[in-house]
Amino acid sequence: MADCSRLVGFGGYLPEKIVTNQELSQRVDTSDEWIRERTGIKQRHIISGHETCNFMAAAAAQQAMEYAGLTSDDIDAIVVATCTPDQIFPTTAAKVQQILGIKRGFAFDVSSACAGFVFGLSVADNFIRNGQAKNVLLIGSEVYSRILDWSDRRTCVLFGDGAGAVVLSAEEITDTNKQNGILGVYLHTDGHYSDLLYVDGVPGQTGDACLLKMHGQEVFRHAVTKLSEVVEEALIAHHLTHDDIDWLVPHQANLRIITGMGKKLNLPLDRVVATVDRHANTSAASVPLALNEAVRDGRIQKGDLVVIEALGGGLSWGSSIIRL
Ligand code: UT7
């Protein structure tokens, strides 16, 4: 009998240092009012001191393992979604394995910018469905503060650092639970839009810092249409309607995109998890951080039907439907 993947553990880490809009307005020509009105962001967390991509990933993963009641001996695979690792290699996942004292299994990173967690979810889910792993740690960990142009007000106000993690565990599919766990993951990329959101190099390639560039309005337009299409695609595939959804846990890029998605799905806003006001856009960490928050504060309950979605550089985008 085949297995499905259940989400059984949740964790998160946010850097200690908080940077408010007010503080940013002293560095670039912006204002708290503009940032709140156009994005919903009030503050972001930025790494300092001992905090790194590896450190945050391991801290979030440790919490997720504890939530799941698992130890390092139980983990078969570690997948980290990041495009801001501390080193090109070894991977962040290998460093997490070392930090957490996990002595078995395999570990690697996936890179798909802000859609990284959804792409990683598909990879992890497939390992479980194929019987290659029973327990997978999936982490999104990002340090965008390293790739931001702190003199560009159009981008530097939008992002923050952080990590979120989940544990996926195999559960045998029976007639009574076949609608549980990750029902499906739906992924898309259109490389023809690769110049809308990109980092202009890799460290060492040009001798310059590699910095994030974005055509914000264009990305906004694609996000609004592509995210609603990919959520509809997932619902149709599982013969579900908007009324079946208990929670939307969207990528946290802009509150206007988030509330727009909620309206399209006919969900009251208190059924849409938003953390963008406090976390800003943490790229691949944004969905697992939001999921962690809403599970731990009791909003999302076991048995709820949760829709997640994300879009980022590539352009790449995806969605998943999960019965928790
Ligand atoms: O996670 C990956 C996916 N990313 C996204 O989904 C982000 C999608 N894009 C967005 O969220 C929005 O496009 C932004 C928040 C990036 C920008 O908001 P917007 O309403 O599209 O603003 P805009 O780019 O059209 O800029 C409007 C004005 C411009 O001034 P002018 O040319 O009209 O005089 C900008 O220069 O606002 C100006 N502006 C700012 N003003 C104060 C841009 N950034 C700022 C700023 N503070 N930080």
Side-chain angles (χ1 to χ4, degrees):
M1 185 68 84
D3 286 333
C4 71
S5 323
R6 298 295 297 259
L7 293 193
V8 297
F10 306 88
Y13 183 88
L14 288 161
E16 282 164 29
K17 185 173 150 196
I18 291 174
V19 177
T20 62
N21 294 345
Q22 191 64 40
E23 289 171 72
L24 280 185
S25 70
Q26 284 153 20
R27 285 205 213 180
V28 286
D29 181 17
T30 189
S31 65
D32 179 45
E33 191 189 8
W34 190 96
I35 302 171
R36 279 179 198 240
E37 268 179 16
R38 307 309 297 165
T39 72
I41 297 166
K42 297 176 186 162
Q43 60 171 53
R44 71 285 297 138
H45 293 251
I46 300 290
I47 60 160
S48 61
H50 62 284
E51 294 167 325
T52 61
C53 184
N54 294 339
F55 173 86
M56 294 194 298
Q62 178 72 44
Q63 270 191 11
M65 272 168 40
E66 282 167 12
Y67 190 104
L70 298 177
T71 70
S72 51
D73 291 339
D74 301 313
I75 302 299
D76 303 306
I78 306 168
V79 180
V80 178
T82 186
C83 55
T84 49
D86 297 329
Q87 293 165 271
I88 290 177
F89 66 83
T91 60
T92 309
K95 295 302 287 184
V96 168
Q97 191 192 40
Q98 179 192 35
I99 296 167
L100 297 184
I102 297 171
K103 298 212 162 47
R104 45 185 289 276
F106 57 93
F108 62 96
D109 292 359
V110 296
S111 170
S112 193
C114 295
F117 181 78
V118 187
F119 278 65
L121 190 73
S122 180
V123 171
D125 181 43
N126 277 309
F127 281 133
I128 287 177
R129 285 178 191 271
N130 292 333
Q132 278 177 276
K134 288 278 180 206
N135 296 306
V136 183
L137 258 178
L138 171 63
I139 307 157
S141 186
E142 299 280 20
V143 190
Y144 267 49
S145 58
R146 285 181 182 151
I147 55 165
L148 291 175
D149 178 350
W150 287 101
S151 66
D152 178 9
R153 68 176 184 175
R154 291 167 305 161
T155 51
C156 75
V157 303
L158 304 175
F159 295 90
D161 301 334
V166 294
V167 176
L168 288 80
S169 283
E171 185 177 281
E172 196 177 304
I173 299 174
T174 62
D175 279 347
T176 49
N177 76 357
K178 63 186 174 199
Q179 285 300 315
N180 285 345
I182 297 171
L183 303 190
V185 187
Y186 299 86
L187 304 176
H188 296 275
T189 297
D190 191 339
H192 296 99
Y193 296 117
S194 55
D195 57 350
L196 293 185
L197 176 50
Y198 61 96
V199 175
D200 64 355
V202 289
Q205 187 190 42
T206 60
D208 297 329
C210 45
L211 296 175
L212 181 145
K213 316 273 178 188
M214 177 164 72
H215 296 277
Q217 268 188 9
E218 285 281 288
V219 175
F220 189 100
R221 197 170 55 78
H222 284 290
V224 168
T225 54
K226 290 181 167 47
L227 288 173
S228 69
E229 280 167 14
V230 77
V231 168
E232 291 302 332
E233 178 186 352
L235 291 171
I236 290 166
H238 297 281
H239 311 290
L240 295 165
T241 69
H242 296 176
D243 293 342
D244 295 310
I245 303 172
D246 293 309
W247 291 98
L248 172 66
V249 184
H251 175 45
Q252 309 285 321
N254 188 318
L255 194 60
R256 288 186 286 146
I257 301 175
I258 293 170
T259 52
M261 270 299 292
K263 278 188 194 135
K264 273 192 187 158
L265 296 173
N266 294 328
L267 278 174
L269 278 184
D270 60 4
R271 289 269 151 185
V272 179
V273 181
T275 54
V276 67
D277 55 332
R278 289 157 291 125
H279 302 177
N281 182 347
T282 56
S283 189
S286 92
V287 170
L289 269 170
L291 205 47
N292 178 51
E293 188 174 286
V295 168
R296 282 177 186 266
D297 69 18
R299 272 178 290 169
I300 299 184
Q301 299 277 330
K302 198 168 171 92
D304 283 350
L305 193 81
V306 177
V307 171
I308 67 169
E309 42 85 333
L311 173 139
L315 293 178
S316 285
W317 64 100
S319 70
S320 179
I321 302 189
I322 305 160
R323 175 79 65 189
L324 274 208

